[in-house]
């Protein structure tokens, strides 16, 4: 049992779990604890230190597009993204609900709304209280400053008036011929002016000091405001949900349409004269079409980040599959025939370093050429008909992104496959010759298995390259996905956009990591010279 | 009085729950300037034994004693020569030897050191190849360089871990003679691990069999009472050699019996199917 | 096959005038083996012995058809050799197992190809029989990386005998094993050969192996231009027991003859070999 677990851990590459299993079975505790310290505790501590530094340093750095978000803000943004996604999902289901289900959902929504209405008031009150408290506290804190300000400003006002009066008095007494005295007075005015400005500056600083106290973060108030916003958002959502469950509901709208249709029909049956009948007939036909289209309609759901992540994953997978389907056969041919290799070499060398930014427009044009009308093309329709991925609305931009991924990522697989096939052990070739294996058997029983570990090493590189390329490709092609999300966030500039981009950093990183780990597992499963057996 | 001794040495690997005892209760006593061959087979822990003698591996139990003193760490008084040459590929023959010399005799001037290195290069008949890197040398020449490096450290005890088993028969014979010649000119204690009975009989004063593991231990010791210098070709007709060889082979046959005895013969018959005939390609 | 067109037992394998030369762009061709002649009886075990690089493995690979000949002919059971085939199964010096298959899979690979008409059951019987015969009943479903060197080589032997070859070719099959494992394997292989009377050619440089296993030893001169130097009959009756062979008075005499031949070849070579190991001898040459 223990060895099965350890073996599974070894194959999956999650070796940091092994000491825990060993410790649980009481095997050399001191060795295992040292291993756990090194493999688990140290990384966790390092990450904690990073988060700590981040939350300390982030508020000190302000940019034009807002503050650098702290970890807490990023976490809130992540939750916000999820709530938005969940609520859109609720609306989508609400749109198609019918009969009793709709009734009960409606009841629930109304109940909840009734429940939170008082909460709204409470939250409003809390915010008001907090604000009051804050202003009281601010007033208290700033009272001495303000008194000082009042005193000082009064004194300065008086001083200035007195200085000016004195000057006027001297000026009045100065004769026209007394040039020296007049020039001296000019100097005195300048002096007065300078003094006045200094005094104003001092007053300004005092005011600024008061403002700073007022602008200090006030946790109770921001918490109350957050609660208020949350409730307001939920209330808005519930109202919208009720709307979707009633007037906007697909079945309700259809029923209304049916009603209208019935009315029209009876009017038509009663109608007099060709002109009136024709008008009504046309109206009936129009309404019927409308009702039918309502019946088939779906909630126009906006793309949320989780959906965009799934779409990105599908896109990278399609691109990766496409690339592998091209790369592996070509790689095998290259490995088998040096002539073919020589023929392919210039292409590989030439196309490998080309950036995705260059491939993407070309791919867009080519896809556009093949699919002139995206609404009516077998490929697009074929994708739309697939289960699980049909909702993703595969479009030419998606295909162009996938093709870009394929074009950028396939080289590693191709080169590794060629190398794997070409470097087959002479011993194994001799065995095949001695047994007189047929060409097919030789390929599938000797050549491919021996090349598999290298092929998988190539696939692993391809997949991680593809994932990096994909984000850029989506950003450029506006194919709904993580890249597009980042671009939208960059462009919309809402207060939490910056935090949401940070969320994306972690999402992209974790998915890349997961993909790589999966490929490592595959690679270890096919590698015959067997790390997995090494227990 | 024995010069190099192993007293009740045991060594195992792995966690306590599934510990494999590689060596158990190994007792060895080698006299000063004696040439002992240890006859070991794959998986019997011979590399572990060399590691323990050299001080590279700590035994779980027991001690290694050199001139009646317990030794723990590796030291220049015990020179090891490995099967895989272990030369540094980016240094020339001279550089590889000089590296060891610098370690053991840091006081030498550049000229003295060069002379000293040259002496050992000449001793192993590598004159003319001092400036070559290991990858330009044949296996035999690499092993010579490795031998020169080990000898240049002037060890009191020379430990040879299957030094010749990667070489072809011809080179092997040459090097066997070479090692014996150097040993006779410049006596020191030698422990050589080998799996070739003839090699052991040709070179050593005494042959000790390491029983196959796990829990390998040293078996009986066979004295080689053949006069030196020994003649490779003539040896085969020597009665004493024949008797010795029979005794050792007879002893080894016990292991093959105990190991292969459980291979129950198949009661099956070979299926009576005939292979297809391939036409000439 | 009717008795009339059956190949005469004493000329089961005929190698005549076998030559191998590699082209040398800067002079005459390098002749590795020249005019090699050998006849093997049905069921006989013959070994080729010589120093490494003498061309004995070249002869074996030419008989196997893995290496083209430059002249002469090889006839096995009345058929001229032209290319490799399972009727001349080879056991290589390295076990050459496919590491992604179990021992069973490795043997089955050849069995499937050689017995296309047999049903799955029969093929499985054949594989299991052969693996049991070499003492691997318990390790059938292990992969090569889980087997020791000796066990891997046993799989190699099982794979070869499962093909029911007319001629079994062993190319220094135990060269990489230590002396104890080698003894065990020699016993196993010899027992199997005795049981099925397989005609066998063994390339070796181990004198004891040649004396213990073979009916006849073919001593080869050292190349270039390697040829048969001497043939030596080993008079022990088969099946043999190692302890009896060692005890017999002829054993050391036969051994001595082989060793003396090899030593003589060595002295002959040392003077002529360009790539000799010893630089002084090299300089003297």
């Amino acid at each position: 049992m223990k060895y099965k677990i350890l073996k599974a851990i070894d194959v999956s590459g999650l070796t940091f779990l092994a000491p825990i299993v060993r410790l649980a079975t009481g095997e050399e505790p001191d060795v295992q604890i040292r291993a756990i310290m090194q493999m688990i505790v140290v990384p966790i501590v390092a990450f904690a230190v990073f988060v700590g530094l981040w939350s300390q340093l982030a508020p000190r750095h302000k940019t034009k597009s807002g503050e650098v978000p702290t970890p807490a803000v990023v976490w809130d943004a992540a939750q916000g993204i999820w709530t938005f996604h969940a609520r859109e999902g609720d609306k989508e289901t609400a749109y198609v609900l019918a009969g009793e289900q709709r009734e009960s959902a409606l009841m629930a929504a109304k109940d909840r709304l009734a429940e939170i209405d008082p909460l709204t008031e409470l939250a409003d009150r809390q915010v008001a209280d907090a604000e009051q408290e804050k202003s009281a506290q601010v007033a208290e804190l700033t009272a001495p400053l303000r008194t000082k300000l009042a005193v000082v400003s009064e004194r300065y006002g008086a001083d200035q008036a007195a200085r000016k009066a004195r000057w006027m008095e001297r000026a009045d007494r100065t004769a026209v011929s007394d040039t020296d005295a007049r020039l001296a007075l000019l100097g005195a005015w300048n002096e007065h002016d300078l003094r006045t400005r200094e005094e104003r500056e001092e007053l300004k600083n005092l005011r600024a000091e008061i403002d700073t106290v007022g602008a200090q973060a006030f946790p109770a108030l921001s918490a109350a405001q957050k609660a208020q916003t949350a409730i307001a958002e939920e209330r808005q959502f519930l109202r919208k949900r009720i709307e979707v469950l009633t007037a906007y509901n697909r079945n309700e709208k259809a029923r209304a349409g049916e009603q209208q249709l019935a009315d029209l029909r009876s009017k038509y049956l009663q109608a007099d004269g060709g002109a009136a009948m024709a008008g009504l007939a046309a109206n009936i036909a129009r309404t019927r079409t409308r009702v039918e289209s309502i019946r088939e309609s779906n909630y126009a759901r906006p793309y949320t980040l989780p959906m965009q992540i799934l779409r990105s994953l599908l896109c990278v997978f399609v691109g990766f599959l496409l690339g592998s389907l091209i790369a592996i056969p070509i790689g095998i041919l290259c490995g088998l025939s040096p002539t073919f290799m020589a023929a392919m070499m210039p292409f590989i060398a030439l196309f490998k370093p080309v950036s995705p930014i260059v491939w993407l427009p070309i791919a867009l044009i080519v896809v556009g050429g093949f699919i002139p009308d995206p609404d009516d093309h077998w490929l697009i329709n074929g994708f739309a008909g697939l289960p699980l991925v049909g909702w993703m609305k595969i479009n030419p931009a998606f295909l162009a992104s996938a093709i870009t991924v394929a074009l950028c990522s396939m080289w590693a697989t191709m080169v590794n496959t060629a190398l794997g096939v070409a470097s087959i052990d002479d011993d194994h070739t001799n065995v095949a010759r001695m047994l007189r294996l047929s060409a097919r058997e030789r390929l599938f029983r000797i050549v491919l298995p021996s090349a598999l570990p290298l092929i998988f090493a190539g696939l692993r590189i391809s997949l991680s390259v593809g994932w990096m390329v994909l984000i850029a490709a989506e950003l450029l092609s506006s194919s709904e996905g993580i890249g597009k999300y980042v671009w939208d966030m960059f462009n919309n500039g809402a207060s939490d956009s910056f935090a949401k981009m940070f969320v994306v950093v972690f999402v992209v990183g974790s998915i890349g990591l997961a993909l790589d780990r999966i490929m490592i597992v595959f690679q270890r499963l096919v590698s015959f010279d067997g790390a997995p057996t090494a227990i | 009085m024995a010069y190099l001794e192993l007293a009740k040495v045991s060594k195992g690997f792995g966690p306590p729950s599934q510990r494999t005892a590689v060596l158990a209760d190994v007792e060895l006593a080698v006299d000063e300037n004696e040439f002992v061959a240890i006859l070991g087979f794959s998986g019997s822990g011979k590399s572990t034994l060399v590691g323990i003698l050299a001080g590279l591996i700590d035994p779980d139990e027991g001690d290694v004693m050199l001139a009646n003193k317990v030794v723990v760490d590796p030291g220049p008084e015990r020179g090891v020569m490995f099967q895989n040459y272990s030369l540094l590929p980016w240094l020339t023959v001279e550089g590889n030897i000089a590296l060891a010399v610098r370690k053991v005799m840091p006081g030498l001037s550049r000229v003295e050191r060069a002379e000293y290195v040259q002496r050992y290069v000449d001793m192993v008949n590598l004159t003319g190849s001092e400036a070559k890197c290991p990858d330009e040398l044949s296996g035999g020449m690499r092993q010579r360089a490795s031998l020169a490096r080990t000898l240049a450290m002037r060890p009191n005890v020379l430990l040879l871990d299957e030094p010749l088993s990667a070489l072809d028969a011809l080179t092997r014979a040459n090097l066997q003679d070479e090692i014996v010649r150097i040993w006779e000119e410049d006596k020191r204690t030698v422990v050589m691990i080998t799996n070739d009975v003839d090699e052991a009989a040709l070179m050593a004063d005494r042959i000790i069999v390491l029983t196959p593991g796990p829990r390998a231990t040293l078996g009986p010791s066979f004295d080689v009472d053949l006069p030196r210098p020994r003649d490779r070709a003539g040896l085969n007709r020597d009665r004493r050699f024949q008797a010795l060889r029979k005794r050792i082979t007879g002893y080894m046959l016990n292991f093959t019996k105990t190991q292969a005895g459980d291979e129950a013969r198949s009661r099956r018959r070979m299926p009576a199917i005939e292979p297809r005939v391939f036409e000439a390609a | 096959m009717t008795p009339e067109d059956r190949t005469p037992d004493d000329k089961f394998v005929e190698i005549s005038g076998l030559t191998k030369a590699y082209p040398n762009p800067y002079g005459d061709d390098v002749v590795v083996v020249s005019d090699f002649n050998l006849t093997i009886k049905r069921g006989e075990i013959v070994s080729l012995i010589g120093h490494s690089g003498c061309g004995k493995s070249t002869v074996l690979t030419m008989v196997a058809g893995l290496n083209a000949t430059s002249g002469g002919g090889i006839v096995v059971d009345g058929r001229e050799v032209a290319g490799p085939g399972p009727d001349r199964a080879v056991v290589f010096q390295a076990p050459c197992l496919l590491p992604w298959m179990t021992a069973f899979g490795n043997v089955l690979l050849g069995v499937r190809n050689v017995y296309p008409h047999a049903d799955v059951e029969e093929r499985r019987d054949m594989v299991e029989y052969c693996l049991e015969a070499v003492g691997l009943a318990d390790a059938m479903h292990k992969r090569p990386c889980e087997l020791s060197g000796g066990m891997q080589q046993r799989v190699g032997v099982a794979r070869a005998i499962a093909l029911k070859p007319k001629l079994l070719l062993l190319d220094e099959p135990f060269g990489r094993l230590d002396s104890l494992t080698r003894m065990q394997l020699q016993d196993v292989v010899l027992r199997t050969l005795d049981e099925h009377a397989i005609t066998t050619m063994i390339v070796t440089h181990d004198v004891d192996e040649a004396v213990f296993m073979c009916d006849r030893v073919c001593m080869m001169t050292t190349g270039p231009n390697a040829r048969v130097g001497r043939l030596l009959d080993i008079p022990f009756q088969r099946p043999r027991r190692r302890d009896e062979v060692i005890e017999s008075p002829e054993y050391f005499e036969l051994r001595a003859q082989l060793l003396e031949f090899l030593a003589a070849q060595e002295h002959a070579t040392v003077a002529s070999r360009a790539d000799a190991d010893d630089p002084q001898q090299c300089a003297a040459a």
Side-chain angles (χ1 to χ4, degrees):
Chain A
M1 180 61 197
K2 175 183 162 193
Y3 294 109
K4 272 189 187 156
I5 297 176
L6 286 177
K7 190 163 179 169
I9 286 173
D10 193 40
V11 171
S12 65
L14 303 171
T15 40
F16 62 89
L17 293 176
I20 297 180
V21 175
R22 287 183 190 275
L23 186 65
T25 52
E27 197 182 290
E28 288 183 299
D30 48 334
V31 176
Q32 307 313 335
I33 287 173
R34 219 176 307 135
I36 289 175
M37 284 301 282
Q38 200 183 354
M39 298 205 298
I40 301 176
V41 177
V42 170
I44 288 177
V45 168
F47 196 75
V49 167
F50 164 71
V51 170
L53 278 177
W54 175 16
S55 52
Q56 285 304 307
L57 294 178
R60 296 191 192 170
H61 186 77
K62 294 190 168 56
T63 67
K64 266 188 276 179
S65 32
E67 279 181 29
V68 174
T70 60
V73 175
V74 171
W75 180 243
D76 284 343
Q79 283 177 320
I81 290 171
W82 183 253
T83 316
F84 179 60
H85 171 70
R87 287 181 178 164
E88 284 303 319
D90 276 352
K91 286 189 210 165
E92 192 179 25
T93 36
Y95 182 71
V96 295
L97 281 183
E100 248 172 60
Q101 277 179 319
R102 186 183 70 88
E103 299 286 342
S104 61
L106 190 58
M107 286 294 286
K110 281 184 172 161
D111 285 352
R112 175 73 186 144
L113 193 60
E115 206 175 296
I116 66 168
D117 262 338
L119 290 179
T120 318
E121 276 169 38
L122 187 70
D124 288 350
R125 222 176 24 248
Q126 269 171 350
V127 170
D129 287 352
E131 265 169 357
Q132 216 165 23
E133 200 184 324
K134 182 190 172 181
S135 45
Q137 253 189 45
V138 168
E140 196 189 326
L141 280 172
T142 54
L145 284 172
R146 253 196 286 242
T147 336
K148 192 179 168 195
L149 179 69
V151 173
V152 172
S153 95
E154 203 176 322
R155 198 179 67 219
Y156 286 169
D159 282 0
Q160 282 163 24
R163 280 202 304 271
K164 200 170 173 187
R166 268 204 306 279
W167 192 84
M168 293 285 272
E169 205 188 331
R170 276 171 70 188
D172 284 341
R173 280 189 277 125
T174 321
V176 178
S177 60
D178 195 350
T179 318
D180 285 349
R182 286 198 173 207
L183 283 176
L185 265 179
L186 202 57
W189 180 263
N190 276 344
E191 212 170 285
H192 158 72
D193 202 41
L194 206 68
R195 263 304 265 295
T196 313
R197 249 186 283 165
E198 271 170 14
E199 284 162 1
R200 272 194 209 133
E201 187 67 20
E202 211 180 317
L203 289 175
K204 205 171 110 191
N205 284 344
L206 260 177
R207 281 195 203 96
E209 215 174 314
I210 293 169
D211 284 351
T212 321
V213 174
Q216 258 173 12
F218 202 68
L221 177 62
S222 38
Q225 277 169 337
K226 214 165 112 183
Q228 188 192 30
T229 320
I231 286 174
E233 272 176 6
E234 189 175 354
R235 223 164 73 152
Q236 203 196 345
F237 158 68
L238 286 168
R239 290 216 180 100
K240 184 79 188 165
R241 185 172 157 83
I242 289 166
E243 221 168 68
V244 174
L245 281 167
T246 51
Y248 284 166
N249 185 274
R250 179 167 88 177
N251 302 303
E252 290 303 295
K253 274 198 278 187
R255 212 166 60 199
E258 296 279 6
Q259 188 63 46
Q260 204 183 348
L261 207 57
D263 290 351
L264 283 172
R265 193 171 292 130
S266 58
K267 261 190 214 160
Y268 170 78
L269 292 175
Q270 309 289 319
D272 260 347
M277 280 175 70
L280 281 167
N283 205 345
I284 287 173
R286 233 183 3 253
T287 312
R288 184 174 295 132
T289 326
R290 190 165 59 83
V291 170
E292 269 162 21
S293 75
I294 285 174
R295 279 195 197 290
E296 282 172 10
S297 70
N298 265 318
Y299 178 69
R301 179 180 186 172
Y303 280 98
T304 54
L305 184 59
M307 294 164 75
Q308 284 168 315
I309 291 171
L310 289 179
R311 207 165 179 273
S312 284
L313 280 174
L314 179 71
C315 190
V316 82
F317 182 68
V318 170
F320 175 63
L321 204 67
L322 194 66
S324 307
L325 286 180
I326 300 169
I328 293 177
I330 293 183
I332 291 172
L333 288 175
C334 281
L336 290 176
S337 148
T339 316
F340 190 77
M341 171 85 105
M344 289 305 294
M345 220 46 226
F347 299 100
I348 297 176
L350 193 64
F351 294 146
K352 198 166 80 166
V354 175
S355 150
I357 314 287
V358 181
W359 285 125
L360 184 79
I362 298 175
L364 275 172
I365 293 169
V366 171
V367 171
F370 276 105
I371 307 181
D373 179 13
D375 292 332
D376 182 27
H377 190 270
W378 58 267
L379 191 60
I380 305 286
N381 292 340
F383 265 116
L386 290 177
L388 292 176
V389 302
W391 59 268
M392 289 184 191
K393 300 202 182 64
I394 307 306
N395 54 9
F398 176 94
L399 294 177
S401 306
I403 289 171
T404 307
V405 168
L407 284 173
C408 291
S409 70
M410 67 186 195
W411 309 108
T413 305
M414 196 183 289
V415 172
N416 270 29
T417 307
L419 184 67
V421 171
S423 62
I424 178 173
D425 204 329
D426 269 354
D427 292 349
H428 298 158
T429 322
N430 271 346
V431 170
R433 289 177 63 197
M434 179 191 88
L435 297 176
R436 289 247 197 141
L437 296 184
S438 62
R440 211 179 116 259
E441 262 186 312
R442 212 181 274 203
L443 181 65
F444 285 103
R445 295 204 178 274
I446 313 271
V447 174
L448 281 187
S450 83
L452 261 190
L454 264 177
I455 295 179
F456 268 81
L459 287 174
R460 191 180 142 209
I461 301 171
S462 284
L463 189 57
S464 52
V465 168
W467 182 241
M468 278 200 280
V469 164
L470 174 77
I471 312 289
E474 282 177 341
L475 194 145
L476 279 175
S477 70
S478 291
S479 167
E480 287 291 348
I482 299 178
K484 171 118 185 309
Y485 184 85
V486 173
W487 190 237
D488 289 348
M489 285 305 117
F490 178 66
N491 282 330
N492 87 2
S495 59
D496 58 351
S497 300
F498 205 10
K500 283 181 179 167
M501 284 192 236
F502 274 67
V503 175
V504 170
V505 169
F506 286 98
V507 167
V508 171
S510 328
I511 293 175
L513 175 73
L515 291 178
D516 198 44
R517 295 252 51 126
I518 292 169
M519 289 309 289
I520 289 178
V521 173
F522 278 123
Q523 202 183 335
R524 301 191 75 168
L525 283 178
V526 298
S527 74
F528 39 80
D529 30 5
T533 51
I535 287 185
Chain B
M1 192 58 230
Y3 184 65
L4 176 69
E5 273 183 281
L6 289 182
K8 287 263 172 213
V9 165
S10 299
K11 179 73 191 170
F13 290 103
S17 55
Q18 17 151 201
R19 196 156 183 88
T20 8
V22 177
L23 296 176
D25 294 333
V26 176
E27 298 271 1
L28 174 70
V30 184
D31 289 333
E32 187 156 16
N33 297 341
E34 191 184 14
F35 195 133
V36 169
I38 293 178
L39 203 55
F41 312 107
S42 64
S44 64
K46 52 190 178 201
S47 299
T48 313
L49 186 64
V50 174
I52 288 174
L53 282 170
L56 298 167
I57 299 175
D58 287 332
D60 293 339
E61 284 166 42
D63 291 313
V64 185
M65 283 188 287
L66 190 66
N68 286 325
K69 282 196 213 89
V70 174
V71 284
V72 182
D73 294 317
E77 78 283 355
R78 281 160 293 154
V80 196
M81 183 173 156
F82 298 99
Q83 181 183 354
N84 53 7
Y85 323 127
S86 61
L87 296 170
L88 302 177
W90 54 89
L91 290 179
T92 60
V93 168
E94 207 170 6
N96 267 294
I97 300 171
L99 189 73
V101 173
R102 208 168 303 176
K103 199 83 200 152
V104 186
M105 277 165 284
L108 290 187
S109 75
R110 187 199 289 267
V111 181
E112 283 170 326
R113 190 163 60 229
E115 275 173 15
Y116 186 85
V117 169
Q118 192 59 47
R119 189 155 81 237
Y120 284 92
V121 169
D122 295 345
M123 189 184 286
V124 297
N125 277 331
L126 269 184
T127 320
S129 306
E130 295 90 342
K132 287 186 179 162
C133 281
D135 60 348
E136 299 172 83
L137 303 178
S138 68
M141 288 165 87
R142 283 184 218 183
Q143 202 54 290
R144 280 168 198 272
S146 173
L147 179 65
R149 183 180 61 180
T150 314
L151 290 172
M153 292 165 81
R154 287 201 180 147
N156 297 330
V157 178
L158 196 57
L159 302 169
L160 310 176
D161 183 6
E162 295 206 57
L164 309 176
S165 58
L167 307 175
D168 69 86
L170 205 60
T171 318
R172 202 172 165 147
N174 281 335
L175 265 163
Q176 284 167 354
D177 295 345
E178 206 84 40
I179 291 174
V180 171
R181 176 181 64 76
I182 292 169
W183 174 74
E184 278 175 346
E185 280 170 12
D186 182 16
K187 286 267 182 187
R188 64 189 77 209
T189 312
V190 180
V191 177
M192 179 177 77
I193 310 269
T194 180
N195 72 54
D196 182 341
V197 182
D198 289 343
E199 181 172 285
L202 185 75
M203 296 171 77
D205 295 325
R206 200 144 60 89
I207 300 173
I208 307 175
V209 181
L210 188 63
T211 62
R215 298 188 62 77
T217 192
L218 290 176
S221 148
F222 300 91
D223 284 322
V224 186
D225 51 354
L226 301 170
R228 289 180 192 272
R230 296 171 188 163
D231 167 29
R232 185 186 306 278
L235 209 54
N236 197 50
R237 294 184 202 274
D238 189 315
R239 291 275 162 228
R240 284 167 297 187
F241 171 77
Q242 292 183 2
L244 176 71
R245 208 169 180 289
K246 276 182 197 167
R247 267 161 59 213
I248 296 177
T249 320
Y251 179 70
M252 280 165 66
L253 275 176
N254 292 328
F255 301 132
T256 54
K257 285 216 182 78
T258 50
Q259 291 217 329
D262 49 349
E263 283 168 13
R265 292 300 289 133
S266 174
R267 294 283 137 241
R268 288 172 195 263
R269 305 287 315 152
M270 193 176 215
I273 42 179
E274 281 308 312
R276 106 195 204 214
V277 178
F278 283 91
E279 289 312 309
Chain C
M1 203 178 267
T2 53
E4 292 88 74
D5 50 50
R6 194 177 139 105
T7 323
D9 278 356
D10 56 341
K11 282 187 179 171
F12 188 66
V13 177
E14 282 189 280
I15 304 170
S16 50
L18 190 64
T19 302
K20 179 73 189 178
Y22 290 104
N24 175 5
Y26 307 110
D28 294 338
D29 289 356
V30 181
V31 183
V32 184
V33 179
S34 83
D35 198 24
F36 182 95
N37 296 296
L38 183 67
T39 309
I40 304 176
K41 296 199 250 313
R42 190 187 293 272
E44 193 181 24
I45 303 177
V46 173
S47 85
L48 296 186
I49 195 165
H51 284 298
S52 57
C54 76
K56 55 192 193 295
S57 281
T58 313
V59 171
L60 184 127
T61 47
M62 284 192 287
V63 176
L66 293 168
N67 201 342
T69 61
S70 315
I74 304 161
V75 178
V76 176
D77 194 14
R79 288 164 68 101
E80 176 89 34
V81 167
D87 56 332
R88 281 154 286 124
V90 188
V91 177
F92 301 95
Q93 183 174 10
C96 293
L97 302 180
L98 304 177
W100 51 89
M101 290 179 180
T102 60
F104 188 90
N106 268 289
V107 179
L108 182 65
L109 181 69
V111 167
R112 192 171 16 215
N113 203 44
V114 170
Y115 307 99
H117 44 277
D119 58 33
V120 176
E121 200 71 5
E122 284 172 321
R123 288 185 202 160
R124 207 191 57 216
D125 270 358
M126 177 60 100
V127 176
E128 285 176 356
Y129 170 83
C130 292
L131 283 168
E132 278 173 22
V134 296
L136 284 179
D138 299 329
M140 260 183 214
H141 298 290
K142 287 190 174 166
R143 288 181 179 226
C145 57
E146 299 168 87
L147 302 175
S148 67
M151 288 164 97
Q152 290 188 23
Q153 199 53 278
R154 284 171 194 239
V155 180
V157 172
R159 174 171 63 190
I161 58 173
L163 307 176
K164 285 198 178 174
K166 290 174 179 164
L167 176 62
L168 181 65
L169 301 166
L170 307 176
D171 187 1
E172 301 207 28
F174 316 124
R176 295 194 185 173
L177 306 174
D178 70 61
S179 45
L180 190 61
T181 319
R182 199 181 297 175
M183 276 159 66
Q184 289 169 1
L185 250 78
Q186 285 164 358
D187 287 340
V188 166
V189 170
L190 195 56
R191 198 169 57 199
T192 316
L193 296 184
D194 284 340
E195 214 160 292
H196 301 289
I198 304 172
T199 316
T200 307
M201 188 181 204
I202 306 177
V203 160
T204 182
H205 61 250
D206 180 346
V207 174
D208 295 296
E209 184 168 293
V211 175
F212 176 59
M213 292 185 75
C214 300
D215 299 315
R216 209 142 49 97
V217 182
C218 166
M219 291 174 257
M220 281 181 72
T221 64
T222 305
N225 289 309
R227 63 186 74 224
V228 179
R230 232 187 104 188
L231 286 166
L232 181 69
D233 280 314
I234 309 291
F236 304 122
Q237 280 300 309
R238 279 168 60 199
R240 296 171 185 169
R241 284 179 48 133
R242 190 182 293 272
D243 41 2
E244 289 169 6
V245 169
I246 295 177
E247 288 301 323
S248 74
E250 300 105 309
Y251 177 71
F252 279 98
E253 181 52 38
L254 293 165
R255 205 171 171 272
Q257 288 191 23
L258 290 178
L259 282 172
E260 276 155 17
F261 176 85
L262 289 178
Q265 285 304 315
E266 187 179 321
H267 295 308
T269 325
V270 163
S272 69
R273 223 164 94 176
D275 58 346
D277 167 68
D278 194 313
Q280 283 194 336
Q281 288 164 344
C282 186

